[in-house]
Amino acid sequence: FRGVADDKPLMEWLMTAVWPAEGKTVGMDGFVADGARHAFAEMLRGGTTCANDMYFSEGEVARVATEVGMRVAIGHIVLDFPSAYAGGADEYFAKAREVHAKWASHDLVSVTVAPHAPYTVCDANLERVKALAEELDAPIHIHLHETAAECSDSEGAVEGSMARHRSEEKTRPFANLDRLGLVSSRLVAAHGVHLNEAEIARLAEVGGSVVHCPASNLKLASGFAPVAAMVKAGVNVAIGTDGAASNNSLDMLSELRLAALLAKGAASDARAVPAGTAIRMATLNGARALGLQKSIGSLEAGKWADMAALSLASPEVSPVFDVLSHIVYVLGRENVTDVWVAGKRLLRARKLTTIDLDAVAVAADKWRAVVVDAVAEAAKK
């Protein structure tokens, strides 16, 4: 869905383009697998070795990841409403257990329980999410406080608002999740743009995580996440892209630079989120959010050999005074030369070793036509 619906706010983007397109494509044979392979190709060429995914047909995502050698945390998606993937909440939970049984023991695959958002999952199903996460000993990955409307419309119980949480509680979604027991060390909150001081303190207290997605937040005009405040409070802040549909890139090096720069601007403090902190956010903090800090996220004896090599041999990046600073403020994904996951070389001198880029391009063209038809059809309604 890269570029299918730009220059729109979140709810309009979801309702007029993304959800209609998903309604037509998600159930089609090969769609999720082809999308996953395309995404892994882009990520590996950009130096990313592990992806945290929240999408339908997570078993297909796991299958493709293991075929190409990519590390992935698949999200067991949960929604209140039916989709091409599941007919309702009961089926989402049933499929979660089925997929988990098949893939959770694979060296390259870990899992999260992934309720989409407070405005798409009701209290009763969030309680089931908590129980399932405890049963599977898995993180809970959820979009949270991405927009101001999500908070104000929930607190004000605004009738008809698509951003309002699916709860009768007249409170902010974070407080409701805390009431239900989901605010814990398992919580992986995507975005957290509108977390207030008390919520940040609570997240730090329980050891929860926030995945900061700066490009998506800017593009959808969601706001500026209080990253410096979160880091100072001790929240485990990681960095994500949010996805090609809302970013429109899976370029983590670009995201790394943007996260560091925005934190300084938002806090009016040039010392906020220095280069070393930003790199930790993109590596070890991401691993910690997924509960994988003992096996990935840094190069240490006993951990998997997941790593990327970046070239400093070009006039655009010389001279080099501080390598960490260069990684954040100078280098781009074009400087990534080689990538290994679990010791296997998946990118060699800029060439993918397990993915056919010509086949990826053919699949992208095929699905582009289908998505265009889906969006055009939705626009007529």
Side-chain angles (χ1 to χ4, degrees), residues 289-343:
L290 298 174
L292 300 176
Q293 69 273 21
K294 292 182 179 180
S295 56
I296 62 171
S298 57
L299 293 177
E300 300 178 51
K303 289 191 174 185
W304 288 108
D306 294 5
M307 52 190 175
L310 294 90
S311 173
L312 300 174
S314 68
E316 293 83 5
V317 302
S318 64
V320 179
F321 298 103
D322 184 319
V323 172
L324 294 184
S325 176
H326 251 55
I327 291 172
V328 176
Y329 301 120
V330 179
L331 298 181
R333 59 182 173 181
E334 68 276 6
N335 300 111
V336 176
T337 61
D338 299 81
V339 173
W340 296 259
V341 175

Side-chain angles (χ1 to χ4, degrees), residues 134-157:
E134 291 174 350
E135 175 188 332
L136 303 181
D137 192 22
I140 297 171
H141 178 199
I142 185 170
H143 296 83
L144 184 64
H145 287 205
E146 182 175 359
T147 66
E150 180 186 336
C151 301
S152 61
D153 290 3
S154 299
E155 199 167 21

Side-chain angles (χ1 to χ4, degrees), residues 16 20 42 44-45 65 69 91 127 130 141 147 183 238 253 255 281 288 294 296 310 331-332 337 341 346 348-349 368:
T16 65
E42 181 179 355
L44 286 168
R45 283 166 56 84
E91 190 172 2
E127 289 177 332
K130 177 179 180 289
H141 178 199
T147 66
V183 175
L253 281 169
E255 215 74 18
M281 287 164 60
R288 182 172 289 111
K294 292 182 179 180
I296 62 171
L310 294 90
L331 298 181
T337 61
V341 175
L346 303 183
R348 183 191 301 271
R368 177 188 177 278

Side-chain angles (χ1 to χ4, degrees), residues 209-250:
S209 299
V210 169
V211 182
H212 176 42
C213 304
S216 174
N217 296 156
L218 287 174
K219 186 166 177 286
L220 295 169
S222 299
F224 303 94
V227 174
M230 288 190 272
V231 171
K232 183 177 181 180
V235 175
N236 182 59
V237 182
I239 297 176
T241 63
D242 196 35
S246 62
N247 186 293
N248 297 356
S249 167
L250 301 177

Side-chain angles (χ1 to χ4, degrees), residues 5 41 61 65 68 70 95 97 132 178 182 231 262 269-270 346 348:
V61 176
V68 305
M70 181 77 175
K95 286 193 170 186
R97 288 187 169 85
L132 181 60
D178 203 5
L182 276 73
V231 171
L262 271 179
D269 181 3
L346 303 183
R348 183 191 301 271

